[in-house]
Amino acid sequence: MSLSGRLAASAVLLTASQGVFAQSRYNFQPPVTTVAEQIYDLHTLMLIICLVIFIVVFGVMFWSVFKHRKSRGAVAANFHENTTVEIVWTVIPVFILLGMAWPATKTILDMRDTTDPDITIKATGYQWKWGYDYLQGEGEGIRFVSNLSTPLAQIQGREDKGENYLLEVDNPMVVPVGAKVRMLITANDVIHSWWVPAFGVKQDAIPGFIRDTWFRADKEGVFRGVCAELCGKDHAFMPIEVHVVSTTQYADWVNGLKVASIAQVAADDRDWTRDDLIARGGEVYAAHCVACHQASGAGIPPAFPALDGSELVKGEHAGLLDIVLNGKQGTAMAAFGGQLSDVEVAAVTTYLRNSWGNSVGDEIAPDEVAGVRTR
Amino acid sequence: MAAVTPDQLHDHHHGPTGLMRWITTTNHKDIGTMYLIFSFIMFLAGGVMALTIRAELFSPGLQVVEPELFNQLTTLHGLVMVFGAIMPAFVGFANWMIPLMIGASDMAFARMNNWSFWLLPPAAILLIGSFFVPGGATAAGWTLYPPLSIQMGMGMDMAIFAVHIMGISSIMGAINIVVTILNMRAPGMTMMKMPLFCWTWLITAYLLIAVMPVLAGAVTMLLTDRHFGTSFFNAAGGGDPVLYQHIFWFFGHPEVYIMILPAFGIVSQIIPTFARKPLFGYASMVYATSSIAILSFVVWAHHMFTTGMPTAGQLFFMYATLLIAVPTGVKVFNWIATMWRGSMTFETPMLWATGFIFVFTMGGFTGLICAIAPIDIQIHDTYYVVAHFHYVLVAGSLFALFAGAYYWLPKWTGRMPDEKIGKLHFWCSLIFFNITFFPMHFLGLAGMPRRVPDYALQFADFNMLASIGAFGFGLSQLIFLWVVIKAARGQGEKATARSWEAAEGLEWTVPSPAPHHTFEEVPVVK
Ligand code: HEM
Ligand SMILES: [Cu+2]
Ligand SMILES: [Cu+2]
């Protein structure tokens, strides 16, 4: 802990019951990185400085409010300037500010140092989920999408809310304890912001640009965050869940995923019947499309058009594949080409053509998708 | 407040009567009254939106509104409060009081003055009407960040036009104020003898002229990106979404001072009156106001610490922001020094002014905490920021507006405000304000983001508390309506010309209520 941090911490012991401050209900979440700890200490230091100024300034004001009243027989003095006093109360704050700026500067320099990472992960914000790509270090090549796993029934109050309501995902990001992780942050559609409070990390995800930040978690555990930049309808429903695990557990996780993904590739490399595609397409729809176009396919017009009955969905394959693969500029419809495999695109488009009132009765094969992609 | 300027009593008024009188009026008092009524209506409209938001946030889960409508409500709440309530209210004060304070018979450009007011109702109709068009109102947040704002429906275009219109109105109002103050002061009223309210408005008017065109440019670029194929903010076309944020906040930070400097002016008029002692450090107040205004142009990116700017940029904007605390501190110290060894009484205006100093300064402290870039990176876009800017905007700007309204109500209506009801209004507002917004600091620190219709369970109890407070605060504002209607209908104690025992200034030399035409014979200031 830095000097100011130690000062701050000891003052907290004096000024408040430790219990109140240790809980995250009234304060920052307990920090698990050195940066988060510095931020925590900076904040405590600021609170104490502000509290002292507050007591002095308002002590004077309320003294005056109670003593210098007409009803108590106070007679007004007539002074209206005093150069010495005015210089003093301009200069002293400057020194106080310098005292604040100094530790803050050190923390900034530390926060910005993203050199020499052990692992590099790219996080991509989508409306409304996060995608993770492990780009460098152990686990390189792993990529997955992380969706809110809280059931709709809980959100709509038809079921009791679970302990981690709105803070839980299907595929959490996993990192080893003690490793320096460099995060590359970007977005696919609008601006999002990747925020994990316990790490002291918040970085806007800007479409078309990549920004970086870093953390080194000192403690194993599950740490939860949320998207911090308004990104549309489901901004409140795209949390971040990070599991910090031991080095061996991490190696196991990496191996497990490798095996599973080989198995998946093998399983996908077969002839798909229409029913298989529709079944698989239903899963893809639930994970990627349902937030906007709704389970009923009715959408929320005009922002999110209905797919049930849509001429585009029922028409030429090329038109449907184009919008799924490439999205539509200026709307919330994302380009899913980068997120979904050929099989997944084939499955979900086949599902659309044969669900709700749509009964085209054909299928779109993975090969066809591959063909469209290469064109 | 229709009874404010009883033209029947004064034979020199021969204009149209009835509705046409208000539509065609070029009288600064009529126009001031219309601004004040307009802003109060917008305040109630924005308040209803806020209470709908708080109703949804009363408990976790989605109950009252769907997320789309929720985002529309937060967006329009912000736009309506900033551009419809706070800014026009201050312009209303300027119209009413600046000519009276400097001894001018009217504003410099009386016809333009009429036009700057009458632009506002169409803008308000565009904004509120956008709820009822396909796709609803814009839901991109009052900051209208692209690319999200590019995705919106036609409600967004309506908001853009509304911003354009309100911007033109503000610029015309500002030009009028600058020219009035510089050219129409009574003989002997030198710049350094001017009431501080005029000084703060003069500086505010320059800020308005400087930054409203910047905002207009930013939203026009949004418009052309939306409809005419440009790519200012679209990376795929070679643009940059963050460019918009730079332009917006280059307007946005001076904008927060546009909303607070006139408030400083009002409070600087009231404290000396009720302390029965001249304002301490008049000259340093003028210099402090000017330095705040100048510094406000070089701190904009403190709203963008999480966008990932270069380290040197973060450091620069942090230092510059911290520096603003110095002149702001000087102001607070001067007010307290004015109170010191005065002979104070606490009629309603003074209560509001004292409440302003106390609660606004808490917003100043959290502003200082936000200015520390590493801390801001944690609390940016959380409820902590929501708490911060409501402490400076509600407890700052709004409380000062109420202080001023109670202070000058006798001059406007000829009746003293009812002290009992006024004090009730003050204490209810102060208490409910803190119940609403104080817990939001804790919510933000503990990790609750802003602009969300639903939240995790650990935030439930503070949200419930804030919602209860918000409804109390909202209802308390009806008390104000009661006081004003009572005075406007000619009930209550009659006011003398110098309505408050120790009030100083030219406005107190004309009768209460101020006749329709004042200072047709130019007063001389010694
Ligand atoms: C001591 C003076 C002040 C300081 C140091 C200060 C500092 C800041 C900072 C650093 C932020 C950015 C927080 C963030 O978005 O993460 C902020 C936000 C804000 N401040 Fe202040 N502020 C001060 C006074 C004021 C005043 C006087 C007003 C208005 C009357 C104001 C209105 C706002 C608003 C509206 C926002 C939120 C903008 C948004 O939507 O992000 N502030 N302030
Ligand atoms: Cu978001
Ligand atoms: Cu600012």
Side-chain angles (χ1 to χ4, degrees):
Chain A
M1 228 190 265
S2 65
L3 177 63
S4 60
R6 242 176 291 142
L7 278 174
S10 51
V12 165
L13 282 172
L14 290 174
T15 52
S17 81
Q18 181 73 328
V20 171
F21 270 80
Q23 285 170 13
S24 58
R25 254 167 78 81
Y26 298 94
N27 203 341
F28 283 135
Q29 298 180 11
V32 294
T33 65
T34 49
V35 165
E37 196 173 293
Q38 289 179 50
I39 295 175
Y40 191 101
D41 293 344
L42 266 175
H43 176 253
T44 313
L45 175 73
M46 291 293 296
L47 262 190
I48 290 165
I49 295 176
C50 290
L51 206 65
V52 171
I53 303 176
F54 183 91
I55 291 170
V56 172
V57 171
F58 289 107
V60 174
M61 187 178 98
F62 281 109
W63 173 273
S64 176
V65 163
F66 289 111
K67 290 284 172 192
H68 303 149
R69 277 185 188 244
K70 198 180 174 199
S71 57
R72 293 177 140 245
V75 179
N78 201 27
F79 61 89
H80 56 85
E81 58 197 353
N82 182 330
T83 314
T84 323
V85 173
E86 291 176 57
I87 291 176
V88 167
W89 71 36
T90 310
V91 172
I92 290 181
V94 172
F95 284 100
I96 298 178
L97 292 175
L98 284 175
M100 297 171 172
W102 173 248
T105 303
K106 284 198 295 191
T107 306
I108 291 183
L109 296 179
D110 209 3
M111 295 176 96
R112 308 293 300 196
D113 177 18
T114 54
T115 51
D116 296 326
D118 300 314
I119 294 179
T120 304
I121 304 174
K122 183 172 87 168
T124 308
Y126 299 93
Q127 281 173 317
W128 291 276
K129 56 186 175 257
W130 290 97
Y132 296 102
D133 280 83
Y134 287 59
L135 296 182
Q136 169 263 320
E138 190 180 359
E140 185 176 326
I142 291 176
R143 52 189 316 212
F144 55 88
V145 172
S146 179
N147 269 295
L148 175 74
S149 61
T150 302
L152 200 61
Q154 288 189 14
I155 296 173
Q156 294 175 339
R158 285 179 277 112
E159 246 175 46
D160 285 348
K161 298 181 181 12
E163 188 194 350
N164 295 313
Y165 178 70
L166 296 190
L167 294 176
E168 51 200 349
V169 300
D170 52 1
N171 299 310
M173 186 176 120
V174 180
V175 293
V177 69
K180 179 166 184 177
V181 180
R182 176 172 180 230
M183 296 296 300
L184 302 180
I185 313 275
T186 186
N188 190 51
D189 30 48
V190 300
I191 302 177
H192 303 263
S193 192
W194 197 82
W195 178 31
V196 180
F199 296 171
V201 167
K202 182 187 286 149
Q203 173 60 55
D204 289 358
I206 300 160
F209 294 85
I210 293 180
R211 299 284 152 86
D212 69 346
T213 182
W214 71 280
F215 66 87
R216 186 198 302 274
D218 296 329
K219 241 199 283 186
E220 292 176 32
V222 177
F223 303 100
R224 298 170 195 277
V226 290
C227 173
E229 179 66 47
L230 177 66
C231 54
K233 170 170 97 65
D234 284 350
H235 166 53
F237 306 98
M238 50 180 291
I240 293 148
E241 182 178 332
V242 182
H243 290 200
V244 178
V245 298
S246 69
T247 343
T248 49
Q249 278 171 316
Y250 183 71
D252 290 347
W253 178 76
V254 170
N255 280 333
L257 276 189
K258 289 253 155 83
V259 172
S261 89
I262 292 168
Q264 182 74 54
V265 169
D268 282 354
D269 188 17
R270 62 176 162 112
D271 288 334
W272 287 81
T273 67
R274 188 186 314 152
D275 288 343
D276 288 350
L277 283 171
I278 292 175
R280 181 74 188 277
E283 293 165 19
V284 178
Y285 188 83
H288 295 275
C289 323
V290 76
C292 296
H293 297 292
Q294 307 293 302
S296 65
I300 311 174
F304 309 114
L307 300 180
D308 186 9
S310 154
E311 292 308 322
L312 181 75
V313 168
K314 294 190 287 185
E316 297 286 320
H317 291 187
L320 177 57
L321 287 175
D322 178 56
I323 194 163
V324 173
L325 289 172
N326 305 321
K328 187 164 174 196
Q329 271 287 326
T331 72
M333 180 63 193
F336 287 96
Q339 299 178 50
L340 302 179
S341 68
D342 293 345
V343 171
E344 287 168 321
V345 174
V348 78
T349 47
T350 304
Y351 170 80
L352 295 186
R353 293 168 78 81
N354 298 291
S355 299
W356 316 296
N358 300 343
S359 49
V360 183
D362 69 352
E363 67 268 325
I364 294 181
D367 288 346
E368 194 182 337
V369 178
V372 171
R373 265 195 216 267
T374 49
R375 243 186 288 131
Chain B
M1 267 182 276
V4 166
T5 59
D7 44 276
Q8 313 88 304
L9 301 180
H10 295 273
D11 44 352
H12 10 291
H13 185 78
H14 297 296
T17 50
L19 186 62
M20 280 316 280
R21 164 187 165 190
W22 294 100
I23 292 179
T24 58
T25 182
T26 55
N27 180 289
H28 73 101
K29 301 187 187 81
D30 284 353
I31 295 174
T33 303
M34 291 194 295
Y35 264 109
L36 292 173
I37 294 174
F38 172 84
S39 63
F40 195 72
I41 294 172
M42 294 306 275
F43 173 61
L44 294 183
V48 169
M49 297 175 202
L51 293 187
T52 317
I53 294 169
R54 284 314 322 171
E56 173 57 53
L57 293 174
F58 185 77
S59 58
L62 295 178
Q63 295 90 8
V64 182
V65 289
E66 288 297 312
E68 297 90 332
L69 181 56
F70 183 93
N71 291 346
Q72 294 173 25
L73 286 167
T74 48
T75 305
L76 268 276
H77 163 74
L79 290 171
V80 163
M81 286 301 197
V82 168
F83 294 105
I86 302 284
M87 289 171 69
F90 281 123
V91 182
F93 273 81
N95 262 294
W96 248 106
M97 300 320 299
I98 289 178
L100 287 181
M101 287 178 153
I102 63 172
S105 59
D106 205 314
M107 297 292 282
F109 304 118
R111 262 174 222 292
M112 186 166 88
N113 204 13
N114 169 293
W115 184 224
S116 29
F117 171 76
W118 280 108
L119 281 175
L120 290 178
I125 291 168
L126 274 178
L127 272 185
I128 310 256
S130 68
F131 275 112
F132 306 101
V133 300
T138 170
W142 84 279
T143 48
L144 306 176
Y145 281 5
L148 188 60
S149 54
I150 307 291
Q151 289 183 353
M152 297 291 141
M154 67 184 283
M156 180 71 205
D157 302 314
M158 294 169 80
I160 291 176
F161 286 128
V163 168
H164 279 147
I165 298 173
M166 292 183 296
I168 294 172
S169 160
S170 294
I171 292 172
M172 294 199 311
I175 292 174
N176 221 335
I177 288 167
V178 170
V179 177
T180 307
I181 291 179
L182 293 185
N183 284 350
M184 297 182 61
R185 277 171 288 123
M189 173 71 75
T190 60
M191 290 298 273
M192 290 310 269
K193 272 194 193 158
M194 243 180 7
L196 211 74
F197 178 69
C198 301
W199 257 115
T200 53
W201 240 119
L202 179 65
I203 294 167
T204 303
Y206 277 112
L207 287 181
L208 276 169
I209 295 170
V211 300
M212 291 312 287
V214 177
L215 175 66
V219 296
T220 307
M221 287 154 94
L222 283 182
L223 191 73
T224 61
D225 268 15
R226 284 169 56 79
H227 297 296
F228 306 116
T230 56
S231 301
F232 292 113
F233 310 129
N234 176 1
D240 182 348
V242 179
L243 172 65
Y244 174 85
Q245 300 186 17
H246 283 291
I247 306 176
F248 181 87
W249 287 114
F250 187 80
F251 146 81
H253 195 82
E255 168 70 12
V256 305
Y257 288 101
I258 288 167
M259 293 189 281
I260 201 67
L261 294 184
F264 291 168
I266 292 176
V267 170
S268 306
Q269 299 300 126
I270 293 174
I271 306 251
T273 298
F274 296 94
R276 294 169 177 74
K277 201 166 146 269
L279 183 68
F280 186 89
Y282 174 92
S284 71
M285 282 299 220
V286 172
Y287 302 138
T289 312
S290 317
S291 4
I292 290 176
I294 292 166
L295 281 174
S296 76
F297 285 106
V298 295
V299 296
W300 76 87
H302 64 208
H303 298 270
M304 302 165 55
F305 282 138
T306 61
T307 55
M309 70 183 91
T311 311
Q314 286 198 341
L315 292 175
F316 171 81
F317 285 106
M318 175 171 83
Y319 299 151
T321 306
L322 287 174
L323 216 52
I324 291 197
V326 176
T328 312
V330 166
K331 297 208 146 247
V332 174
F333 300 146
N334 280 340
W335 290 321
I336 294 177
T338 307
M339 294 178 160
W340 188 253
R341 292 189 42 215
S343 169
M344 281 191 278
T345 50
F346 287 87
E347 288 89 340
T348 314
M350 182 64 167
L351 270 184
W352 282 99
T354 313
F356 164 93
I357 302 181
F358 184 57
V359 198
F360 168 80
T361 304
M362 299 189 6
F365 284 132
T366 54
L368 213 50
I369 292 176
C370 286
I372 302 291
I375 302 180
D376 185 64
I377 285 173
Q378 278 282 42
I379 59 189
H380 172 66
D381 264 325
T382 69
Y383 261 82
Y384 194 92
V385 171
V386 176
H388 158 70
F389 66 75
H390 284 93
Y391 267 81
V392 288
L393 275 173
V394 176
S397 311
L398 186 67
F399 277 24
L401 284 164
F402 283 136
Y406 283 102
Y407 185 54
W408 284 306
L409 201 64
K411 193 52 62 189
W412 301 340
T413 64
R415 300 285 163 164
M416 300 302 285
D418 187 312
E419 280 294 321
K420 271 215 192 80
I421 322 179
K423 285 186 172 142
L424 180 72
H425 177 212
F426 170 74
W427 287 111
C428 286
S429 296
L430 184 76
I431 291 166
F432 283 122
F433 170 80
N434 282 292
I435 295 179
T436 311
F437 292 104
F438 201 77
M440 292 187 187
H441 294 113
F442 298 133
L443 287 173
L445 288 175
M448 176 166 164
R450 70 191 270 216
R451 296 167 166 170
V452 290
D454 196 2
Y455 47 82
L457 300 183
Q458 69 261 37
F459 306 128
D461 36 10
F462 282 140
N463 268 295
M464 188 174 286
L465 191 62
S467 290
I468 293 171
F471 277 88
F473 187 81
L475 291 177
S476 307
Q477 304 321 309
L478 300 178
I479 307 176
F480 175 68
L481 200 59
W482 182 13
V483 177
V484 174
I485 290 178
K486 205 173 152 193
R489 293 175 65 194
Q491 293 162 359
E493 186 193 336
K494 269 206 161 61
T496 56
R498 185 179 306 278
S499 315
W500 310 101
E501 188 185 32
E504 297 278 351
L506 286 179
E507 80 261 38
W508 304 110
T509 62
V510 303
S512 303
H516 201 66
H517 297 286
T518 36
F519 297 130
E520 290 184 308
E521 267 159 51
V522 179
V524 176
V525 181
K526 286 167 268 81

